Amino acid sequence: MHAAGALAVWDLCHTAGALPVGLDEHGVDLAVGCTYKYLNGGPGSPAYLYVRRELQDRFDSPLPGWNSHAEPFGMRPEFEAADGVLRGRVGTPDILSMLALEAALDVWDGVSMDAVRAKSLALTDFFLRCVAAYVPKGLVESLTPDAHAERGSQVALRCEGAGDVMKRLIERGVVGDFRAPDVLRFGFTPLYVSFADAERAARVLAEVLES
Ligand SMILES: *Cc1c(COP(=O)(O)O)cnc(C)c1O
């Protein structure tokens, strides 16, 4: 792709906070992501943008605003992008959401991503084993790759009536989501989801499917 002169944008929504990333290390061009999933920023927390250092002065933001202007209070008729990555800012920042996110990010201080990844894989492996042990054969089919290198921090299971099954799981405190037409998704946030949570989720799933 680079050989053809193209740049790549990576979507990190299911990556940041779930596994080691290394954007600088891998020479990534551009990346975007949300902070309300594995980074725990809460509903409405801000998105982020990564632009490789060499590209920052060429970056042409699709969402320019006063806050990305070279002179934000200059009230000039023309837009002139700020130097460097500041040109990627959007409009007025949502301060309360940023404060909540800051607190959520503080939790990561001193946390090793390798340890997070190890627990994430152990949790998803364990959940799949519990599902295989508790759910009668044939009622669910795992769509999650067995190979660790191909797995994120979630498990997707296909089953009949998945929408209704997820409603009943949520009523019982097992909160995942439903993707049409027939997929149940379970996210595992290694910082605070425990093996006991994973075992209970599989047990409640088996009870719901058998009832
Ligand atoms: C959650 C998610 C998004 C949505 O991000 P927003 O910041 O809510 O717009 C985009 N892409 C992927 C792959 C996601 O999982």
Side-chain angles (χ1 to χ4, degrees), residues 11 13-14 33-37 45 47 185:
D11 182 331
C13 288
H14 281 259
C34 64
T35 57
Y36 58 84
K37 291 175 185 160
S45 63
R185 294 203 315 175

Side-chain angles (χ1 to χ4, degrees), residues 91-192:
T92 303
D94 196 336
I95 300 296
L96 296 180
S97 297
M98 303 251 280
L99 284 172
L101 175 61
E102 189 171 30
L105 294 179
D106 282 347
V107 173
W108 290 91
D109 288 349
V111 172
S112 129
M113 278 316 294
D114 290 334
V116 169
R117 177 62 170 161
K119 184 175 172 195
S120 160
L121 290 170
L123 277 169
T124 51
D125 276 342
F126 179 64
F127 177 68
L128 285 167
R129 271 184 20 230
C130 291
V131 168
Y134 294 162
V135 176
K137 256 203 166 359
L139 290 186
V140 296
E141 176 201 350
S142 171
L143 304 177
T144 296
D146 286 332
H148 283 175
E150 293 167 23
R151 194 184 303 171
S153 200
Q154 61 151 320
V155 169
L157 302 175
R158 181 183 281 151
C159 82
E160 220 165 278
D164 192 48
V165 169
M166 185 49 74
K167 259 190 220 134
R168 289 162 65 201
L169 288 175
I170 291 171
E171 277 164 21
R172 296 194 51 186
V174 176
V175 182
D177 73 354
F178 159 64
R179 285 300 148 106
D182 56 3
V183 176
L184 304 168
R185 294 203 315 175
F186 301 88
F188 294 83
T189 304
L191 285 185
Y192 59 84

